[in-house]
Amino acid sequence: MRRAIGLAGRIMLWTVVVLCVAIVVLPRFLDRIYYTGPASAHFDTARFFNPDGEDTIAMPAGGSRTNFFVRYFFQQDGRPAWPTNVPITPGKPAARVAGERMVITWIGHATMLVQTQGLNILTDPIWENTAGPFGAGPKRVMDPGVRFEDLPKIDLVLISHDHYDHMSLPTLQRLWDRDKPLIVTSLGNDTVMSGVTSVARDWGGRVNVRPGIDVIVTRNHHWGTRFMVDRNRALWSSFVVTLPGGNLFFAGDTGFGDGKWPMEARGYGPIRLALLPIGAFRFVPGQMGIASHVGPIDAAEVFARLGASRAMAIHWGTFRLSYEARDTPPRLLDAVMKCRTDIGGGRAFVAVRAGAPTEVGPLLADPPPTAPVSRDQVVRCLDTPQVRALR
């Protein structure tokens, strides 16, 4: 008995020693330098930062980091239940969509297939069942809206940043091996995606796709990491794709920040379609947005500031990343848009069904100016029993 107790004690001691060594050694081992270059308005020669104020480090629910992770990973925050499997009917997109006709298919999360001008464009593709390292992380509750084998040949891939739910290296490798697409991203992410060839640009950088069609890397408000200790070693971004008949805007993953970056994107020309995130915005009951993720209220304001003709919702209902119920983001978006009486002229911001091809109408003329609806007015408009019941 004494021998067994002694053995158990030695095992526990060595376990503690190994853990202590790991805490000291692993962070240095996991840290990486993804980009080297001169200092800029958003790079200090070591790490990138949000020039409109760095508010993404604080815990989204407040309190200590340890308390947040314990409550989040052990789901001790009273969160509403999510379904374990959401049935869908996968779509089979056309091989190509010619001319100014535009068709989009939501694959899930931030992955959208955009087909126009004979180009097949894919945003932040992920076909994996989990969004994390080594097969860990949040599990997919909805199958991809298009099976990988039914995906048409992809010409252009946009990668907004290096978080696992947006940069899936296995998916990118499959796409590269099959199609050799042009992959465009922001600074440092090309190093993370070492198994594929990609083109990285700073905010404001431009990559030509073909005559008349460019990808412009644009500012948003977020952060990046693969292993926490490599935080902000690579840059995050949104994108404008210049197109005949009106531009495409892909917001990537973003908080509201100073709210000026949508107007910067608008400066590259009129936007026919914007892909805007609406989910993972609530970490305590009633929360309407966090520093790094817009919720439907702020997403609608981004839509208004972009002056886009239409917007499609992304970043919801696929991987559980936060507190809110699965269907809260689209239901809240619908309520918000009813409150935004200043967004008219046929403009619409909606969530679409995964796998269902959706035609995108032509660029709309600017509507007559109307009095803007403030955020406070939207919040008051949403103070209804139906909205308060959304968790």
Side-chain angles (χ1 to χ4, degrees):
M1 186 65 160
R2 289 181 180 178
R3 187 174 299 175
I5 293 173
L7 178 61
R10 286 193 293 274
I11 292 173
M12 290 181 63
L13 175 62
W14 278 108
T15 300
V16 171
V17 170
V18 169
L19 287 174
C20 289
V21 171
I23 290 171
V24 174
V25 173
L26 278 180
R28 298 178 185 176
F29 174 75
L30 293 174
D31 195 7
R32 294 287 189 276
I33 303 299
Y34 300 137
Y35 171 77
T36 57
S40 72
H42 50 274
F43 183 62
D44 64 8
T45 73
R47 299 179 193 269
F48 293 94
F49 57 91
N50 289 298
D52 52 353
E54 192 49 83
D55 57 357
T56 63
I57 297 176
M59 292 296 96
S64 71
R65 188 173 298 268
T66 300
N67 182 58
F68 169 77
F69 282 113
V70 168
R71 286 170 58 86
Y72 178 78
F73 285 110
F74 289 97
Q75 300 187 14
Q76 296 176 342
D77 51 6
R79 62 180 58 186
W82 267 40
T84 56
N85 181 57
V86 177
I88 66 163
T89 302
K92 291 188 177 182
R96 300 279 173 188
V97 173
E100 292 190 5
R101 182 171 169 244
M102 180 183 284
V103 178
I104 63 98
T105 306
W106 185 46
I107 310 298
H109 201 51
T111 308
M112 188 77 80
L113 172 65
V114 181
Q115 298 180 281
T116 187
Q117 298 292 330
L119 286 174
N120 291 328
I121 304 168
L122 205 56
T123 63
D124 285 353
I126 177 169
W127 261 259
E128 268 52 61
N129 288 323
T130 56
F134 315 116
K139 293 182 179 180
R140 179 185 289 275
V141 302
M142 182 183 71
D143 288 342
V146 176
R147 298 184 183 94
F148 191 87
E149 56 269 25
D150 292 330
L151 197 64
K153 184 180 187 300
I154 300 301
D155 306 294
L156 173 63
V157 176
L158 306 177
I159 300 295
S160 64
H161 64 301
D162 62 1
H163 286 163
Y164 286 89
D165 56 321
H166 294 260
M167 181 193 287
S168 168
L169 298 184
T171 292
L172 286 168
Q173 192 66 60
R174 291 174 74 185
L175 284 167
W176 180 255
D177 291 343
R178 196 191 74 165
D179 297 339
K180 299 293 189 293
L182 171 62
I183 303 174
V184 180
T185 189
S186 42
L187 296 178
N189 294 303
D190 53 332
T191 302
V192 184
M193 299 184 289
S194 57
V196 302
T197 300
S198 59
V199 179
R201 293 287 186 269
D202 201 354
W203 291 337
R206 187 181 291 252
V207 178
N208 180 251
V209 179
R210 70 183 194 207
I213 300 178
D214 291 343
V215 176
I216 305 168
V217 180
T218 48
R219 181 169 74 94
N220 62 359
H221 187 91
H222 202 56
W223 59 290
T225 189
R226 297 295 278 183
F227 301 106
M228 298 307 292
V229 292
D230 61 349
R231 183 185 176 96
N232 295 355
R233 295 290 196 185
L235 184 60
W236 47 95
S237 64
S238 56
F239 301 89
V240 170
V241 181
T242 63
L243 292 165
N247 294 344
L248 168 70
F249 177 74
F250 170 48
D253 204 356
T254 186
F256 192 73
D258 63 1
K260 295 178 180 178
W261 51 269
M263 285 88 84
E264 294 166 10
R266 184 176 186 170
Y268 292 106
I271 297 171
R272 179 180 178 182
L273 175 66
L275 308 178
L276 304 179
I278 64 167
F281 66 92
R282 179 171 289 177
F283 286 81
V284 292
Q287 196 171 31
M288 289 296 189
I290 62 172
S292 55
H293 289 158
V294 292
I297 292 178
D298 292 322
E301 181 61 22
V302 169
F303 176 48
R305 296 186 183 197
L306 286 168
S309 295
R310 293 164 191 84
M312 302 295 177
I314 58 171
H315 202 264
W316 71 276
T318 310
F319 300 100
R320 181 159 209 176
L321 304 175
S322 55
Y323 173 97
E324 76 264 13
R326 181 183 180 271
D327 62 351
T328 289
R331 292 175 66 188
L332 183 56
L333 175 64
D334 182 62
V336 168
M337 292 306 295
K338 290 175 182 174
C339 295
R340 290 301 303 256
T341 55
D342 56 333
I343 302 176
R347 283 165 166 72
F349 181 6
V350 299
V352 296
R353 183 165 55 86
T358 302
E359 291 272 350
V360 178
L363 185 70
L364 298 173
D366 289 336
T370 59
V373 176
S374 70
R375 193 180 198 279
D376 287 343
Q377 288 174 307
V378 174
V379 171
R380 287 196 296 271
C381 175
L382 293 174
D383 189 14
T384 66
Q386 293 80 11
V387 172
R388 288 196 295 271
L390 296 177
R391 297 187 62 199

